[in-house]
Amino acid sequence: MGFSTLELDPLEPGILRLTINRPKALNALSPEVIAELEEAVAAIAADAALRVLLVTGAGEKAFVAGADIAAMSQMTPLEGREFSNRALAVFRSLELLPIPVIALVNGYALGGGCELAMACDWIIASDKAQFGQPEVNLGICPGFGGTQRLTRLVGRARALELVCTGRQVKAEEAYALGLVNHVVPAADLLAKGLEQARLIAAKGPVAVKYAKHLVQRGQDLDLDNACQLEADVFGLLCATEDKAEGMRAFLEKRPAKFSGR
Ligand code: DAK
């Protein structure tokens, strides 16, 4: 698959890295990036051999510095609507991929870049990372789900402060806010991502897939219905070879060999 703004690198069996690759524009999300992301995410969703996706930005300075301001400045209302709808849909598809998606934030994650990171399942930040929703500086509000995902991650008051002031936060503060799960030295970012990806890849594929499904789909349900969904999925997993193998391996005091069935 040939892309001009993305790179897809299979790093290890089951572990793929997707890099937004426009370093001269700090990896800003142009309509072309969004169109290529759409294609890439669809291909990733269809690849049953994949276990974990790592998402990062090219170069040392930025993860993604936002939606492309130069492109947005030229958009007609209809083009703006199309751009926004496509980006919202592709972020949602990324979020609902049947495998865990980890953002490796190596620098600026601003505006649409912060929103892209938040559409991943969790964020590992380098100590050089910087997060923010600076759209109010441009006379607009976040448009790729930032007001909603940030609120779910850090709570209403903290989200409101960041969205209304446009204030940027460094990695340590983002960690304290609950926006990122880990902060590591910049040189260790990929290693930390791989460490977590390998842990996941060693687990039962069906179990990981449905655990993610439950968290992503359950969080917007009321507790009773969400817990019922969990019980239903648990029942479903009882029919898998992976469950039989995982429990047999425990009882036989040996590592499990999961087949993903
Ligand atoms: N878009 C386009 N180009 C960008 C960019 C961006 N977001 N950010 C940086 N660049 C480009 C710069 O223009 C510059 O290009 P050249 O001049 O070299 O051609 C190059 O990247 C290097 O940037 P700087 O020279 O500015 O580098 P500095 O180190 O001085 O500053 C910076 C780095 C990240 C602090 C600065 O570049 C910056 O402030 N960038 C903009 C950050 C920002 O405001 N991001 C949010 C963008 S708005 C919506 C839909 C979508 C959205 C909103 C609403 N609706 C449907 C309602 C999304 C909005 C956004 O994401």
Side-chain angles (χ1 to χ4, degrees), residues 22-26 28-29 61 65-72 80 83-84 108 110-113 115 134-135 137-138 140-144 168:
R22 292 183 73 211
K24 285 187 182 150
L26 303 188
L29 301 173
K61 209 165 158 183
D68 190 303
I69 299 170
M72 284 193 297
F83 179 57
S84 182
Y108 289 111
L110 302 177
E115 291 168 305
E135 286 88 347
N137 297 329
L138 301 168
I140 55 175
C141 65
F144 294 159
Q168 293 177 24

PDB file of all heavy atoms in Angstrom, residues 22-26 28-29 61 65-72 80 83-84 108 110-113 115 134-135 137-138 140-144 168, ligand 1:
ATOM      1  N   ARG A  22       4.671  13.981   7.777  1.00  0.00           N
ATOM      2  CA  ARG A  22       4.801  15.285   7.096  1.00  0.00           C
ATOM      3  C   ARG A  22       5.636  16.186   8.005  1.00  0.00           C
ATOM      4  O   ARG A  22       5.166  17.236   8.471  1.00  0.00           O
ATOM      5  CB  ARG A  22       3.435  15.956   6.916  1.00  0.00           C
ATOM      6  CG  ARG A  22       2.469  15.312   5.969  1.00  0.00           C
ATOM      7  CD  ARG A  22       1.214  16.166   5.874  1.00  0.00           C
ATOM      8  NE  ARG A  22       1.437  17.392   5.126  1.00  0.00           N
ATOM      9  CZ  ARG A  22       0.776  18.537   5.367  1.00  0.00           C
ATOM     10  NH1 ARG A  22      -0.115  18.620   6.323  1.00  0.00           N
ATOM     11  NH2 ARG A  22       1.033  19.599   4.640  1.00  0.00           N
ATOM     12  N   PRO A  23       6.857  15.773   8.317  1.00  0.00           N
ATOM     13  CA  PRO A  23       7.593  16.483   9.368  1.00  0.00           C
ATOM     14  C   PRO A  23       7.795  17.972   9.083  1.00  0.00           C
ATOM     15  O   PRO A  23       7.864  18.770  10.020  1.00  0.00           O
ATOM     16  CB  PRO A  23       8.926  15.737   9.444  1.00  0.00           C
ATOM     17  CG  PRO A  23       9.006  14.898   8.220  1.00  0.00           C
ATOM     18  CD  PRO A  23       7.611  14.635   7.758  1.00  0.00           C
ATOM     19  N   LYS A  24       7.853  18.361   7.788  1.00  0.00           N
ATOM     20  CA  LYS A  24       8.060  19.791   7.496  1.00  0.00           C
ATOM     21  C   LYS A  24       6.882  20.639   7.953  1.00  0.00           C
ATOM     22  O   LYS A  24       7.046  21.828   8.234  1.00  0.00           O
ATOM     23  CB  LYS A  24       8.305  19.992   5.996  1.00  0.00           C
ATOM     24  CG  LYS A  24       9.692  19.555   5.600  1.00  0.00           C
ATOM     25  CD  LYS A  24      10.016  19.901   4.172  1.00  0.00           C
ATOM     26  CE  LYS A  24      11.409  19.383   3.851  1.00  0.00           C
ATOM     27  NZ  LYS A  24      11.572  19.023   2.459  1.00  0.00           N
ATOM     28  N   ALA A  25       5.702  20.054   8.010  1.00  0.00           N
ATOM     29  CA  ALA A  25       4.523  20.778   8.500  1.00  0.00           C
ATOM     30  C   ALA A  25       4.139  20.264   9.890  1.00  0.00           C
ATOM     31  O   ALA A  25       2.976  20.345  10.299  1.00  0.00           O
ATOM     32  CB  ALA A  25       3.367  20.610   7.532  1.00  0.00           C
ATOM     33  N   LEU A  26       5.135  19.743  10.614  1.00  0.00           N
ATOM     34  CA  LEU A  26       4.912  19.170  11.951  1.00  0.00           C
ATOM     35  C   LEU A  26       3.757  18.153  11.943  1.00  0.00           C
ATOM     36  O   LEU A  26       2.976  18.075  12.885  1.00  0.00           O
ATOM     37  CB  LEU A  26       4.690  20.275  12.994  1.00  0.00           C
ATOM     38  CG  LEU A  26       5.812  21.321  13.115  1.00  0.00           C
ATOM     39  CD1 LEU A  26       5.578  22.240  14.316  1.00  0.00           C
ATOM     40  CD2 LEU A  26       7.190  20.668  13.243  1.00  0.00           C
ATOM     41  N   ALA A  28       1.038  17.992  10.381  1.00  0.00           N
ATOM     42  CA  ALA A  28      -0.337  18.514  10.427  1.00  0.00           C
ATOM     43  C   ALA A  28      -1.266  17.663   9.563  1.00  0.00           C
ATOM     44  O   ALA A  28      -0.869  17.131   8.517  1.00  0.00           O
ATOM     45  CB  ALA A  28      -0.358  19.966   9.957  1.00  0.00           C
ATOM     46  N   LEU A  29      -2.509  17.549  10.013  1.00  0.00           N
ATOM     47  CA  LEU A  29      -3.497  16.676   9.368  1.00  0.00           C
ATOM     48  C   LEU A  29      -4.157  17.414   8.205  1.00  0.00           C
ATOM     49  O   LEU A  29      -5.090  18.190   8.392  1.00  0.00           O
ATOM     50  CB  LEU A  29      -4.555  16.232  10.381  1.00  0.00           C
ATOM     51  CG  LEU A  29      -4.038  15.474  11.603  1.00  0.00           C
ATOM     52  CD1 LEU A  29      -5.167  15.241  12.602  1.00  0.00           C
ATOM     53  CD2 LEU A  29      -3.394  14.149  11.194  1.00  0.00           C
ATOM     54  N   LYS A  61      10.166  16.614  16.532  1.00  0.00           N
ATOM     55  CA  LYS A  61       9.505  17.779  17.110  1.00  0.00           C
ATOM     56  C   LYS A  61       8.023  17.593  17.424  1.00  0.00           C
ATOM     57  O   LYS A  61       7.513  18.156  18.385  1.00  0.00           O
ATOM     58  CB  LYS A  61       9.649  18.927  16.102  1.00  0.00           C
ATOM     59  CG  LYS A  61       9.663  20.280  16.738  1.00  0.00           C
ATOM     60  CD  LYS A  61      10.159  21.313  15.752  1.00  0.00           C
ATOM     61  CE  LYS A  61       9.673  22.676  16.160  1.00  0.00           C
ATOM     62  NZ  LYS A  61      10.065  23.704  15.217  1.00  0.00           N
ATOM     63  N   ALA A  65       0.889  18.506  14.956  1.00  0.00           N
ATOM     64  CA  ALA A  65       0.670  19.867  15.485  1.00  0.00           C
ATOM     65  C   ALA A  65      -0.728  20.389  15.173  1.00  0.00           C
ATOM     66  O   ALA A  65      -0.974  21.586  15.292  1.00  0.00           O
ATOM     67  CB  ALA A  65       1.728  20.821  14.945  1.00  0.00           C
ATOM     68  N   GLY A  66      -1.631  19.499  14.760  1.00  0.00           N
ATOM     69  CA  GLY A  66      -3.014  19.934  14.577  1.00  0.00           C
ATOM     70  C   GLY A  66      -3.536  19.634  13.201  1.00  0.00           C
ATOM     71  O   GLY A  66      -2.841  19.066  12.353  1.00  0.00           O
ATOM     72  N   ALA A  67      -4.784  20.009  13.004  1.00  0.00           N
ATOM     73  CA  ALA A  67      -5.317  19.993  11.641  1.00  0.00           C
ATOM     74  C   ALA A  67      -4.521  21.026  10.849  1.00  0.00           C
ATOM     75  O   ALA A  67      -3.980  21.984  11.422  1.00  0.00           O
ATOM     76  CB  ALA A  67      -6.797  20.343  11.669  1.00  0.00           C
ATOM     77  N   ASP A  68      -4.437  20.828   9.529  1.00  0.00           N
ATOM     78  CA  ASP A  68      -3.592  21.698   8.707  1.00  0.00           C
ATOM     79  C   ASP A  68      -4.256  23.070   8.550  1.00  0.00           C
ATOM     80  O   ASP A  68      -5.282  23.204   7.871  1.00  0.00           O
ATOM     81  CB  ASP A  68      -3.367  21.042   7.334  1.00  0.00           C
ATOM     82  CG  ASP A  68      -2.299  21.782   6.551  1.00  0.00           C
ATOM     83  OD1 ASP A  68      -2.453  22.999   6.328  1.00  0.00           O
ATOM     84  OD2 ASP A  68      -1.301  21.138   6.179  1.00  0.00           O
ATOM     85  N   ILE A  69      -3.642  24.062   9.186  1.00  0.00           N
ATOM     86  CA  ILE A  69      -4.253  25.391   9.226  1.00  0.00           C
ATOM     87  C   ILE A  69      -4.272  26.019   7.821  1.00  0.00           C
ATOM     88  O   ILE A  69      -5.245  26.664   7.435  1.00  0.00           O
ATOM     89  CB  ILE A  69      -3.517  26.297  10.237  1.00  0.00           C
ATOM     90  CG1 ILE A  69      -3.629  25.686  11.646  1.00  0.00           C
ATOM     91  CG2 ILE A  69      -4.100  27.715  10.235  1.00  0.00           C
ATOM     92  CD1 ILE A  69      -2.752  26.348  12.704  1.00  0.00           C
ATOM     93  N   ALA A  70      -3.187  25.785   7.059  1.00  0.00           N
ATOM     94  CA  ALA A  70      -3.145  26.359   5.700  1.00  0.00           C
ATOM     95  C   ALA A  70      -4.289  25.787   4.856  1.00  0.00           C
ATOM     96  O   ALA A  70      -4.994  26.529   4.157  1.00  0.00           O
ATOM     97  CB  ALA A  70      -1.792  26.056   5.050  1.00  0.00           C
ATOM     98  N   ALA A  71      -4.494  24.471   4.946  1.00  0.00           N
ATOM     99  CA  ALA A  71      -5.577  23.857   4.165  1.00  0.00           C
ATOM    100  C   ALA A  71      -6.934  24.341   4.656  1.00  0.00           C
ATOM    101  O   ALA A  71      -7.821  24.692   3.854  1.00  0.00           O
ATOM    102  CB  ALA A  71      -5.485  22.334   4.258  1.00  0.00           C
ATOM    103  N   MET A  72      -7.096  24.412   6.003  1.00  0.00           N
ATOM    104  CA  MET A  72      -8.412  24.813   6.538  1.00  0.00           C
ATOM    105  C   MET A  72      -8.750  26.252   6.177  1.00  0.00           C
ATOM    106  O   MET A  72      -9.916  26.594   5.987  1.00  0.00           O
ATOM    107  CB  MET A  72      -8.437  24.643   8.064  1.00  0.00           C
ATOM    108  CG  MET A  72      -8.569  23.205   8.517  1.00  0.00           C
ATOM    109  SD  MET A  72      -8.974  23.073  10.271  1.00  0.00           S
ATOM    110  CE  MET A  72      -7.541  23.809  11.031  1.00  0.00           C
ATOM    111  N   GLY A  80     -15.150  22.240   4.402  1.00  0.00           N
ATOM    112  CA  GLY A  80     -14.866  22.141   5.842  1.00  0.00           C
ATOM    113  C   GLY A  80     -15.710  21.061   6.486  1.00  0.00           C
ATOM    114  O   GLY A  80     -15.232  20.272   7.303  1.00  0.00           O
ATOM    115  N   PHE A  83     -14.364  17.652   5.375  1.00  0.00           N
ATOM    116  CA  PHE A  83     -13.092  17.379   6.060  1.00  0.00           C
ATOM    117  C   PHE A  83     -13.361  16.925   7.494  1.00  0.00           C
ATOM    118  O   PHE A  83     -12.828  15.917   7.965  1.00  0.00           O
ATOM    119  CB  PHE A  83     -12.255  18.668   6.037  1.00  0.00           C
ATOM    120  CG  PHE A  83     -10.924  18.572   6.728  1.00  0.00           C
ATOM    121  CD1 PHE A  83      -9.984  17.620   6.360  1.00  0.00           C
ATOM    122  CD2 PHE A  83     -10.587  19.470   7.745  1.00  0.00           C
ATOM    123  CE1 PHE A  83      -8.745  17.549   6.989  1.00  0.00           C
ATOM    124  CE2 PHE A  83      -9.348  19.407   8.378  1.00  0.00           C
ATOM    125  CZ  PHE A  83      -8.437  18.443   7.995  1.00  0.00           C
ATOM    126  N   SER A  84     -14.221  17.679   8.165  1.00  0.00           N
ATOM    127  CA  SER A  84     -14.513  17.375   9.561  1.00  0.00           C
ATOM    128  C   SER A  84     -15.203  16.014   9.687  1.00  0.00           C
ATOM    129  O   SER A  84     -14.825  15.183  10.534  1.00  0.00           O
ATOM    130  CB  SER A  84     -15.412  18.475  10.119  1.00  0.00           C
ATOM    131  OG  SER A  84     -15.680  18.234  11.454  1.00  0.00           O
ATOM    132  N   TYR A 108       4.935  17.832  19.918  1.00  0.00           N
ATOM    133  CA  TYR A 108       3.662  18.553  19.991  1.00  0.00           C
ATOM    134  C   TYR A 108       2.485  17.656  19.603  1.00  0.00           C
ATOM    135  O   TYR A 108       2.501  17.018  18.541  1.00  0.00           O
ATOM    136  CB  TYR A 108       3.670  19.736  19.023  1.00  0.00           C
ATOM    137  CG  TYR A 108       4.575  20.873  19.432  1.00  0.00           C
ATOM    138  CD1 TYR A 108       5.732  21.164  18.720  1.00  0.00           C
ATOM    139  CD2 TYR A 108       4.248  21.675  20.523  1.00  0.00           C
ATOM    140  CE1 TYR A 108       6.559  22.221  19.087  1.00  0.00           C
ATOM    141  CE2 TYR A 108       5.074  22.740  20.901  1.00  0.00           C
ATOM    142  CZ  TYR A 108       6.227  23.003  20.173  1.00  0.00           C
ATOM    143  OH  TYR A 108       7.031  24.042  20.541  1.00  0.00           O
ATOM    144  N   LEU A 110      -1.110  18.887  19.365  1.00  0.00           N
ATOM    145  CA  LEU A 110      -1.963  20.061  19.540  1.00  0.00           C
ATOM    146  C   LEU A 110      -3.214  19.944  18.673  1.00  0.00           C
ATOM    147  O   LEU A 110      -3.159  19.403  17.569  1.00  0.00           O
ATOM    148  CB  LEU A 110      -1.195  21.329  19.141  1.00  0.00           C
ATOM    149  CG  LEU A 110       0.115  21.578  19.909  1.00  0.00           C
ATOM    150  CD1 LEU A 110       0.823  22.812  19.375  1.00  0.00           C
ATOM    151  CD2 LEU A 110      -0.163  21.716  21.405  1.00  0.00           C
ATOM    152  N   GLY A 111      -4.314  20.494  19.158  1.00  0.00           N
ATOM    153  CA  GLY A 111      -5.540  20.511  18.364  1.00  0.00           C
ATOM    154  C   GLY A 111      -5.886  19.114  17.867  1.00  0.00           C
ATOM    155  O   GLY A 111      -6.007  18.165  18.659  1.00  0.00           O
ATOM    156  N   GLY A 112      -6.005  18.970  16.553  1.00  0.00           N
ATOM    157  CA  GLY A 112      -6.316  17.664  15.969  1.00  0.00           C
ATOM    158  C   GLY A 112      -5.290  16.601  16.330  1.00  0.00           C
ATOM    159  O   GLY A 112      -5.601  15.407  16.307  1.00  0.00           O
ATOM    160  N   GLY A 113      -4.078  17.010  16.689  1.00  0.00           N
ATOM    161  CA  GLY A 113      -3.045  16.050  17.102  1.00  0.00           C
ATOM    162  C   GLY A 113      -3.335  15.492  18.480  1.00  0.00           C
ATOM    163  O   GLY A 113      -3.181  14.286  18.729  1.00  0.00           O
ATOM    164  N   GLU A 115      -6.294  15.394  19.650  1.00  0.00           N
ATOM    165  CA  GLU A 115      -7.522  14.610  19.425  1.00  0.00           C
ATOM    166  C   GLU A 115      -7.198  13.240  18.825  1.00  0.00           C
ATOM    167  O   GLU A 115      -7.823  12.241  19.180  1.00  0.00           O
ATOM    168  CB  GLU A 115      -8.478  15.405  18.518  1.00  0.00           C
ATOM    169  CG  GLU A 115      -9.040  16.627  19.241  1.00  0.00           C
ATOM    170  CD  GLU A 115      -9.746  17.612  18.314  1.00  0.00           C
ATOM    171  OE1 GLU A 115      -9.119  18.057  17.333  1.00  0.00           O
ATOM    172  OE2 GLU A 115     -10.911  17.931  18.562  1.00  0.00           O
ATOM    173  N   PRO A 134      -5.475  24.255  21.277  1.00  0.00           N
ATOM    174  CA  PRO A 134      -5.329  25.705  21.123  1.00  0.00           C
ATOM    175  C   PRO A 134      -6.274  26.332  20.100  1.00  0.00           C
ATOM    176  O   PRO A 134      -6.042  27.453  19.656  1.00  0.00           O
ATOM    177  CB  PRO A 134      -3.866  25.835  20.653  1.00  0.00           C
ATOM    178  CG  PRO A 134      -3.637  24.588  19.864  1.00  0.00           C
ATOM    179  CD  PRO A 134      -4.507  23.514  20.464  1.00  0.00           C
ATOM    180  N   GLU A 135      -7.338  25.626  19.748  1.00  0.00           N
ATOM    181  CA  GLU A 135      -8.212  26.121  18.678  1.00  0.00           C
ATOM    182  C   GLU A 135      -8.760  27.514  18.957  1.00  0.00           C
ATOM    183  O   GLU A 135      -8.985  28.296  18.027  1.00  0.00           O
ATOM    184  CB  GLU A 135      -9.387  25.144  18.454  1.00  0.00           C
ATOM    185  CG  GLU A 135      -9.000  23.858  17.750  1.00  0.00           C
ATOM    186  CD  GLU A 135      -8.529  22.759  18.694  1.00  0.00           C
ATOM    187  OE1 GLU A 135      -8.256  23.055  19.881  1.00  0.00           O
ATOM    188  OE2 GLU A 135      -8.429  21.608  18.257  1.00  0.00           O
ATOM    189  N   ASN A 137      -7.357  30.001  19.960  1.00  0.00           N
ATOM    190  CA  ASN A 137      -6.429  31.020  19.426  1.00  0.00           C
ATOM    191  C   ASN A 137      -6.757  31.361  17.976  1.00  0.00           C
ATOM    192  O   ASN A 137      -6.388  32.427  17.480  1.00  0.00           O
ATOM    193  CB  ASN A 137      -4.974  30.518  19.452  1.00  0.00           C
ATOM    194  CG  ASN A 137      -4.491  30.263  20.860  1.00  0.00           C
ATOM    195  OD1 ASN A 137      -4.922  30.931  21.795  1.00  0.00           O
ATOM    196  ND2 ASN A 137      -3.595  29.300  21.022  1.00  0.00           N
ATOM    197  N   LEU A 138      -7.389  30.394  17.278  1.00  0.00           N
ATOM    198  CA  LEU A 138      -7.692  30.561  15.847  1.00  0.00           C
ATOM    199  C   LEU A 138      -9.151  30.965  15.629  1.00  0.00           C
ATOM    200  O   LEU A 138      -9.614  31.035  14.491  1.00  0.00           O
ATOM    201  CB  LEU A 138      -7.433  29.238  15.105  1.00  0.00           C
ATOM    202  CG  LEU A 138      -6.013  28.680  15.179  1.00  0.00           C
ATOM    203  CD1 LEU A 138      -5.977  27.241  14.665  1.00  0.00           C
ATOM    204  CD2 LEU A 138      -5.047  29.538  14.373  1.00  0.00           C
ATOM    205  N   ILE A 140     -11.709  29.163  16.548  1.00  0.00           N
ATOM    206  CA  ILE A 140     -12.570  27.986  16.346  1.00  0.00           C
ATOM    207  C   ILE A 140     -12.545  27.142  17.623  1.00  0.00           C
ATOM    208  O   ILE A 140     -11.776  27.431  18.554  1.00  0.00           O
ATOM    209  CB  ILE A 140     -12.119  27.127  15.135  1.00  0.00           C
ATOM    210  CG1 ILE A 140     -10.645  26.712  15.280  1.00  0.00           C
ATOM    211  CG2 ILE A 140     -12.350  27.875  13.830  1.00  0.00           C
ATOM    212  CD1 ILE A 140     -10.154  25.764  14.199  1.00  0.00           C
ATOM    213  N   CYS A 141     -13.383  26.114  17.642  1.00  0.00           N
ATOM    214  CA  CYS A 141     -13.356  25.200  18.786  1.00  0.00           C
ATOM    215  C   CYS A 141     -12.840  23.855  18.280  1.00  0.00           C
ATOM    216  O   CYS A 141     -12.766  23.633  17.076  1.00  0.00           O
ATOM    217  CB  CYS A 141     -14.752  25.062  19.397  1.00  0.00           C
ATOM    218  SG  CYS A 141     -15.921  24.288  18.278  1.00  0.00           S
ATOM    219  N   PRO A 142     -12.467  22.947  19.180  1.00  0.00           N
ATOM    220  CA  PRO A 142     -12.039  21.622  18.710  1.00  0.00           C
ATOM    221  C   PRO A 142     -13.141  20.984  17.867  1.00  0.00           C
ATOM    222  O   PRO A 142     -14.325  21.140  18.181  1.00  0.00           O
ATOM    223  CB  PRO A 142     -11.817  20.841  20.007  1.00  0.00           C
ATOM    224  CG  PRO A 142     -11.527  21.886  21.032  1.00  0.00           C
ATOM    225  CD  PRO A 142     -12.385  23.061  20.649  1.00  0.00           C
ATOM    226  N   GLY A 143     -12.748  20.278  16.823  1.00  0.00           N
ATOM    227  CA  GLY A 143     -13.752  19.724  15.912  1.00  0.00           C
ATOM    228  C   GLY A 143     -13.574  18.262  15.596  1.00  0.00           C
ATOM    229  O   GLY A 143     -14.345  17.698  14.827  1.00  0.00           O
ATOM    230  N   PHE A 144     -12.554  17.643  16.189  1.00  0.00           N
ATOM    231  CA  PHE A 144     -12.340  16.219  15.922  1.00  0.00           C
ATOM    232  C   PHE A 144     -12.572  15.401  17.201  1.00  0.00           C
ATOM    233  O   PHE A 144     -11.858  14.447  17.476  1.00  0.00           O
ATOM    234  CB  PHE A 144     -10.927  15.960  15.393  1.00  0.00           C
ATOM    235  CG  PHE A 144     -10.636  16.558  14.025  1.00  0.00           C
ATOM    236  CD1 PHE A 144      -9.323  16.771  13.623  1.00  0.00           C
ATOM    237  CD2 PHE A 144     -11.649  16.883  13.142  1.00  0.00           C
ATOM    238  CE1 PHE A 144      -9.029  17.310  12.377  1.00  0.00           C
ATOM    239  CE2 PHE A 144     -11.376  17.428  11.891  1.00  0.00           C
ATOM    240  CZ  PHE A 144     -10.059  17.643  11.505  1.00  0.00           C
ATOM    241  N   GLN A 168      -1.221  25.070  26.861  1.00  0.00           N
ATOM    242  CA  GLN A 168      -0.562  23.802  26.553  1.00  0.00           C
ATOM    243  C   GLN A 168       0.066  23.221  27.816  1.00  0.00           C
ATOM    244  O   GLN A 168       0.528  23.975  28.667  1.00  0.00           O
ATOM    245  CB  GLN A 168       0.513  24.015  25.491  1.00  0.00           C
ATOM    246  CG  GLN A 168      -0.087  24.400  24.137  1.00  0.00           C
ATOM    247  CD  GLN A 168       0.965  24.674  23.090  1.00  0.00           C
ATOM    248  OE1 GLN A 168       2.082  24.195  23.182  1.00  0.00           O
ATOM    249  NE2 GLN A 168       0.590  25.439  22.089  1.00  0.00           N
TER     250      GLN A 168
HETATM  251  N1  DAK B   1      -1.035  23.350  10.230  1.00  0.00           N
HETATM  252  C1  DAK B   1      -0.250  23.637   9.172  1.00  0.00           C
HETATM  253  N2  DAK B   1       1.069  23.867   9.278  1.00  0.00           N
HETATM  254  C2  DAK B   1       1.608  23.829  10.510  1.00  0.00           C
HETATM  255  C3  DAK B   1       0.843  23.547  11.663  1.00  0.00           C
HETATM  256  C4  DAK B   1      -0.564  23.286  11.496  1.00  0.00           C
HETATM  257  N3  DAK B   1      -1.373  22.949  12.497  1.00  0.00           N
HETATM  258  N4  DAK B   1       1.664  23.598  12.745  1.00  0.00           N
HETATM  259  C5  DAK B   1       2.875  23.888  12.253  1.00  0.00           C
HETATM  260  N5  DAK B   1       2.864  24.034  10.926  1.00  0.00           N
HETATM  261  C6  DAK B   1       3.981  24.345  10.030  1.00  0.00           C
HETATM  262  C7  DAK B   1       4.383  25.811  10.177  1.00  0.00           C
HETATM  263  O1  DAK B   1       3.533  26.641   9.392  1.00  0.00           O
HETATM  264  C8  DAK B   1       5.813  25.771   9.650  1.00  0.00           C
HETATM  265  O2  DAK B   1       5.778  25.720   8.255  1.00  0.00           O
HETATM  266  P1  DAK B   1       6.820  26.597   7.359  1.00  0.00           P
HETATM  267  O3  DAK B   1       6.602  27.999   7.785  1.00  0.00           O
HETATM  268  O4  DAK B   1       8.173  26.057   7.761  1.00  0.00           O
HETATM  269  O5  DAK B   1       6.432  26.286   5.961  1.00  0.00           O
HETATM  270  C9  DAK B   1       6.307  24.419  10.151  1.00  0.00           C
HETATM  271  O6  DAK B   1       5.153  23.637  10.428  1.00  0.00           O
HETATM  272  C10 DAK B   1       7.124  24.526  11.440  1.00  0.00           C
HETATM  273  O7  DAK B   1       6.321  25.237  12.371  1.00  0.00           O
HETATM  274  P2  DAK B   1       6.866  26.536  13.174  1.00  0.00           P
HETATM  275  O8  DAK B   1       7.887  27.242  12.371  1.00  0.00           O
HETATM  276  O9  DAK B   1       5.681  27.275  13.635  1.00  0.00           O
HETATM  277  O10 DAK B   1       7.618  25.818  14.398  1.00  0.00           O
HETATM  278  P3  DAK B   1       7.821  26.418  15.851  1.00  0.00           P
HETATM  279  O11 DAK B   1       8.773  25.490  16.528  1.00  0.00           O
HETATM  280  O12 DAK B   1       8.168  27.860  15.817  1.00  0.00           O
HETATM  281  O13 DAK B   1       6.373  26.285  16.558  1.00  0.00           O
HETATM  282  C11 DAK B   1       4.317  25.164  17.135  1.00  0.00           C
HETATM  283  C12 DAK B   1       5.821  25.019  16.764  1.00  0.00           C
HETATM  284  C13 DAK B   1       3.691  23.774  17.195  1.00  0.00           C
HETATM  285  C14 DAK B   1       4.193  25.829  18.511  1.00  0.00           C
HETATM  286  C15 DAK B   1       3.635  26.072  16.069  1.00  0.00           C
HETATM  287  O14 DAK B   1       3.922  25.504  14.780  1.00  0.00           O
HETATM  288  C16 DAK B   1       2.161  26.124  16.220  1.00  0.00           C
HETATM  289  O15 DAK B   1       1.623  26.833  17.076  1.00  0.00           O
HETATM  290  N6  DAK B   1       1.422  25.411  15.351  1.00  0.00           N
HETATM  291  C17 DAK B   1      -0.015  25.456  15.282  1.00  0.00           C
HETATM  292  C18 DAK B   1      -0.590  24.697  16.437  1.00  0.00           C
HETATM  293  C19 DAK B   1      -2.097  24.757  16.441  1.00  0.00           C
HETATM  294  O16 DAK B   1      -2.711  25.815  16.566  1.00  0.00           O
HETATM  295  N7  DAK B   1      -2.708  23.583  16.282  1.00  0.00           N
HETATM  296  C20 DAK B   1      -4.128  23.492  16.238  1.00  0.00           C
HETATM  297  C21 DAK B   1      -4.567  23.598  14.806  1.00  0.00           C
HETATM  298  S1  DAK B   1      -6.333  23.784  14.719  1.00  0.00           S
HETATM  299  C22 DAK B   1     -13.167  21.654  13.411  1.00  0.00           C
HETATM  300  C23 DAK B   1     -12.437  20.694  12.783  1.00  0.00           C
HETATM  301  C24 DAK B   1     -11.107  20.555  13.070  1.00  0.00           C
HETATM  302  C25 DAK B   1     -10.490  21.389  13.970  1.00  0.00           C
HETATM  303  C26 DAK B   1     -11.266  22.323  14.584  1.00  0.00           C
HETATM  304  C27 DAK B   1     -12.582  22.477  14.322  1.00  0.00           C
HETATM  305  N8  DAK B   1     -14.581  21.817  13.186  1.00  0.00           N
HETATM  306  C28 DAK B   1     -15.188  21.036  12.138  1.00  0.00           C
HETATM  307  C29 DAK B   1     -15.353  22.649  14.050  1.00  0.00           C
HETATM  308  C30 DAK B   1      -9.098  21.237  14.241  1.00  0.00           C
HETATM  309  C31 DAK B   1      -8.392  22.299  14.560  1.00  0.00           C
HETATM  310  C32 DAK B   1      -6.947  22.264  14.760  1.00  0.00           C
HETATM  311  O17 DAK B   1      -6.295  21.270  14.950  1.00  0.00           O
END
